[in-house]
Amino acid sequence: QVHLVESGGGLVQDGGSLRLSCKAPRMITSVYNSKTINWYRQAPGKQRESVASITGGKITTYADAVKGRFTISRDNSRKTVYLQMNSLKPDDTGIYYCNYNDWGTDYWGQGTQVTVSS
């Protein structure tokens, strides 16, 4: 079963922008609206790390490395969370995943590749 679907990745130059999307096509809307949705990323040879989160009440948190450059938002009518990424750097390169937790179980999308060239 596909719980989350990410899209929007690609190749961009240093300083460029991308907007990632994370859709939850199978989740019941009332459940989706209450869920915290997270973005993670994994660079080659590194551990997966948290990037940003947004609660059902639209409270946001960011990793220090992306504060001021990335913006997370959600459109509950579309069951979609967005990650607007500006001023991208080569260090932002990696596979970006969205995630939510439901009763102790983590659900992940398949990921979308972001590559920032210098």
Side-chain angles (χ1 to χ4, degrees):
Q1 287 187 342
V2 177
H3 294 272
L4 295 170
V5 180
E6 301 97 334
S7 62
L11 173 64
V12 65
Q13 289 188 331
D14 191 353
S17 298
L18 285 172
R19 189 177 81 154
L20 307 183
S21 298
C22 169
K23 296 184 180 181
R26 302 178 65 90
M27 200 183 300
I28 297 170
T29 300
S30 59
V31 174
Y32 176 83
N33 292 349
S34 69
K35 287 296 181 186
T36 294
I37 307 295
N38 312 291
W39 279 103
Y40 286 77
R41 67 186 180 188
Q42 188 165 19
K46 295 187 177 181
Q47 288 190 331
R48 194 171 295 189
E49 63 178 0
S50 176
V51 175
S53 298
I54 186 165
T55 69
K58 298 186 179 181
I59 296 172
T60 59
T61 58
Y62 298 93
D64 287 344
V66 307
K67 280 180 182 175
R69 300 188 297 122
F70 291 10
T71 302
I72 190 170
S73 61
R74 67 191 295 161
D75 182 341
N76 288 343
S77 68
R78 290 181 167 83
K79 291 189 287 185
T80 301
V81 167
Y82 302 99
L83 186 67
Q84 177 66 44
M85 306 187 297
N86 298 329
S87 302
L88 282 162
K89 306 174 183 179
D91 284 349
D92 295 317
T93 294
I95 302 175
Y96 283 68
Y97 301 90
C98 58
N99 153 280
Y100 71 93
N101 185 279
D102 189 35
W103 291 97
T105 298
D106 279 321
Y107 295 90
W108 299 88
Q110 81 289 351
T112 185
Q113 176 71 46
V114 171
T115 303
V116 184
S117 63
S118 56

